[in-house]
Structures are given as C-alpha cells and as structure tokens.
Amino acid sequence: MASLIFKFLAGLPLGLLQSLGVLAGWLTYALSPTYRRRLRANLELALGHDEAGRLWRRCVGEIGKQALELPWVLLRPQAEITAKVVQVTGWEHVEAAEASGGGILFITPHLGCFEISAQYFSMHKPITVLYRAPKKAVLQPVINAGRRRGNMHLAPADVSGVRRLIKALRAGEAVGMLPDQVPGGGEGAWLPFFGRPAYTMTLAARLSEVAGVSTLFAWAERLPGGKGFHLHLRPALTPLGGDTSARATAINRELEAQIRENPAQYLWGYNRYKRPSGAPPAPATR
C-alpha cells in the first residue's frame, strides 16, 4: 500500500504536491506533541526566541512540502526533474573543481529539496551518493530505483559503502552526502551544532582529506508556487583543514551558514541531538 501511495503521489503536479505537503506538515504537527516540541526547541536553539516565533509556522509547511515532493523527485523522468532547477548559482565552482582533476565531494544538509542536487549533477557526470535504507522497508526498492539511475550510483552507509565513496573520489568522480543525520554509535563524535553538542558524522571530514578532492556545499532552494528550485553551490567559507575532528567541526559551521540562508526550509523536526545506541554520553554544556 505504501508503495502504491508513493507512486500515486509521483504522478501529481509538483505545485499540487507541495500544496498538499503544507496540509500534511500541519497534520503531523497537530497529531504529534513530541514532534511539536522538538521542532520548536531546535528552531529556538538555533535562531533565538524571536526569530523562531517568526518562522515556525512557515517551517511546518516547508517540512511537509519536503516530504511530499520526494516521490516526484525520485520517480519522475530525470530530464523532467532537472528541468525544474530553473536557476543555478555557483556552477563555476564545479567547473573549477573539475579542472583541477580531482574528485568532488558535495555536502548537502536537509535543507530545501536535498534530493534534487545529486539528480541535477548526475545529468552532467557520474555521482555516487551515500544512502541509508528507509524505515519502511517496503519503500526501499522504489526509493533505490529513483536514486540509482543514469549516472547516479549508491553507496550504503557501511564499510563497503565508504570504500566505494573513496574509490569514486580517487577516480576523479563526484560523491554526495548529507552529514547532518545522526550516525550509528562509534561512527561519529560529539561536536557543536548551533551551540549544542550533536553526535556528528565524521565521514564527510574523512572524505575531504582524500588527495585532490574539492569540497563543495550544495542546497536546492524551493521556490514558491511550484515554480521549481534554485540550486546554490559554493566552497567552504573558511577552507577546511586540520585533523578529522577539526574538519568535522568546520563542516558543521558551514552547514549552519547554509541553513541560515533560508532557515524556514530546514528539517527542524529531526531529532538531531539524540544519543544513538553505543555512543558515549554527550559532553556537559556550560
């Protein structure tokens, strides 16, 4: 049934899906006290009481849009999807990275339409994307089919997947990942994220250390009225350097800067500060 619903939603126009997404976002907000508390708390922690009070209603709707546009992005023809990227800022950074001859590491937070960035680049050159299996196993074949097509390749979030990502980068290809999701215990470190310790994936930092790699930060802004998306690309505001921990800390700062560009489109309802099983306790905050 879930797979059929997913396919049905993919057949609807993008603008209609996003409108339905606003309703879905508010329904989720109304029915889940835990989700409500988390969304408001995360938003206030990052932006302060006044800004959170101004933005939270928009966030509820945008998170709903993010969820319901996913079937459209994954199951529609790639040419149709990428045609909805109606503006690109920073493509010159991609060209410069390609001219250097090394691989490209694309880092994307759960901001805007995060799925479309890799889809867009894959129309240009091969890209390997790190993925985690969806919670609903019945959706995995459908979602994987949407992510594994044309020049898009998948790397599971395990040791074999990490090897695949490193191999792609060393071959001068592109890799994409979302490092603002909580990794498994033993796969991360407690590092600041909007002023609070968050168990943070260190894989992006380790991949940025591969020789010759250019690291670019990407996110696709959702335009109003189903008009499409504006893809933003840039290098780090402060060059990444130091050991893995220093790089992971710097990547968190870069993600914060991206999110502040359009905080209404970030996934504030995600339990970013949870302690996964097997992880050490979070350090005490002052």
Side-chain angles (χ1 to χ4, degrees):
M1 178 61 73
S3 177
L4 291 176
I5 293 173
F6 206 79
K7 292 177 180 178
F8 169 76
L9 292 173
L12 298 178
L14 180 61
L16 175 58
L17 266 179
Q18 291 175 342
S19 296
L20 293 174
V22 174
L23 297 177
W26 278 104
L27 184 62
T28 303
Y29 186 85
L31 294 178
S32 175
T34 301
Y35 175 75
R36 285 200 300 272
R37 287 193 298 269
R38 184 185 301 140
L39 186 152
R40 298 288 292 269
N42 286 347
L43 188 60
E44 187 165 328
L45 173 72
L47 304 178
H49 178 77
D50 292 344
E51 186 71 0
R54 185 179 70 84
L55 281 179
W56 73 267
R57 293 174 182 83
R58 282 184 58 200
C59 294
V60 170
E62 292 293 333
I63 292 171
K65 291 179 185 179
Q66 189 180 92
L68 259 66
E69 71 195 6
L70 178 63
W72 189 93
V73 173
L74 291 178
L75 299 185
R76 288 291 187 102
Q78 275 194 313
E80 182 181 352
I81 296 163
T82 55
K84 276 292 187 178
V85 179
V86 296
Q87 185 176 355
V88 179
T89 299
W91 190 258
E92 66 273 12
H93 301 303
V94 176
E95 294 175 338
E98 290 178 337
S100 73
I104 306 175
L105 172 62
F106 287 103
I107 294 179
T108 302
H110 286 79
L111 178 67
C113 184
F114 53 85
E115 288 277 356
I116 208 168
S117 301
Q119 296 276 357
Y120 184 86
F121 184 83
S122 74
M123 298 294 284
H124 177 65
K125 280 191 174 180
I127 182 169
T128 302
V129 179
L130 183 72
Y131 84 98
R132 293 182 183 274
K135 291 182 179 180
K136 292 186 179 296
V138 69
L139 288 177
Q140 184 164 345
V142 178
I143 293 177
N144 285 0
R147 290 174 174 164
R148 186 190 286 122
R149 52 180 172 171
N151 281 325
M152 283 192 68
H153 310 286
L154 297 181
D158 57 25
V159 174
S160 68
V162 172
R163 290 174 181 155
R164 198 173 301 175
L165 296 176
I166 293 173
K167 182 179 179 181
L169 290 173
R170 287 176 174 167
E173 298 179 359
V175 160
M177 62 185 307
L178 293 91
D180 58 338
Q181 51 192 333
V182 179
E187 299 174 359
W190 290 102
L191 299 171
F193 187 66
F194 285 111
R196 179 180 171 186
Y199 199 65
T200 298
M201 182 189 300
T202 56
L203 177 57
R206 288 188 281 133
L207 293 177
S208 75
E209 297 175 290
V210 174
V213 165
S214 298
T215 302
L216 297 178
F217 293 81
W219 75 280
E221 178 184 3
R222 184 180 303 107
L223 302 178
K227 294 178 181 177
F229 304 95
H230 177 184
L231 180 59
H232 301 260
L233 299 148
R234 64 163 176 80
L237 299 175
T238 302
L240 302 180
D243 61 14
T244 299
S245 178
R247 286 172 178 261
T249 300
I251 287 171
N252 272 0
R253 286 198 300 267
E254 295 292 336
L255 298 182
E256 291 174 14
Q258 282 183 290
I259 292 162
R260 287 191 176 100
E261 293 176 20
N262 195 326
Q265 293 193 14
Y266 187 60
L267 191 63
W268 296 108
Y270 178 60
N271 193 5
R272 181 65 186 89
Y273 299 100
K274 71 180 179 181
R275 176 189 175 189
S277 176
T285 54
R286 296 179 181 178

